[in-house]
Amino acid sequence: LSLLAGVSLAPTFLTGAARLARATRSGWGFRSDAARRALPWDAEGQKQEEKAWEVFSSEFTKAAEAGELMGDPCDRGTITARYAGLSSLFGGDVALEMIRKEPIVLFW
C-alpha cells in the first residue's frame, strides 16, 4: 500500500482523455473529410451527400454557381460537409428529407 501512495494515475488518464478528444475532433484518426468519405463501407453516405448537393444546387442555382450566399461559403465541399453534420445528428435518411423540404437548413 505504501508503494502505491506515491503513484498518480492522473497524468495517464489525462493523456488518454486528450488523445480521445483529439481523435473525436479529427474524425477518429482521419485527417480530412475526403479520407473519411473514401472508406468503401460509406458508399451510401456518399450517394446521399451527392443527393443533398443536387437538391441544394437546384434550389439555390446562383449561389451554387457562385460558391457563396450572403457571405457564407456554399460550394460542393461545404454543403456536403454540412449535410454530413446533419446526418450525424439525425441520420442520413432524415437529414436528406429535411434538405428536400427546406434546403436552407444547410446554412445552420
Side-chain angles (χ1 to χ4, degrees), residues 57-102:
S57 62
S58 68
E59 183 71 27
F60 297 100
T61 326
K62 291 183 180 180
E65 290 172 2
E68 75 169 5
L69 179 67
M70 299 183 342
D72 284 338
C74 62
D75 57 303
R76 180 183 293 260
T78 302
I79 295 302
T80 55
R82 290 176 183 167
Y83 168 76
L86 269 178
S87 66
S88 70
L89 288 173
F90 301 107
D93 295 332
V94 173
L96 194 55
E97 187 63 29
M98 290 169 64
I99 292 168
R100 285 184 179 139
K101 289 182 179 181
E102 287 295 332

Side-chain angles (χ1 to χ4, degrees), residues 34-70:
R36 198 169 30 250
R37 285 193 302 267
L39 299 173
W41 55 82
D42 196 32
E44 184 63 34
Q46 292 174 4
K47 291 176 187 173
Q48 288 180 334
E49 286 179 358
E50 289 304 314
K51 288 179 187 175
W53 170 252
E54 290 171 9
V55 169
F56 177 82
S57 62
S58 68
E59 183 71 27
F60 297 100
T61 326
K62 291 183 180 180
E65 290 172 2
E68 75 169 5
L69 179 67
M70 299 183 342

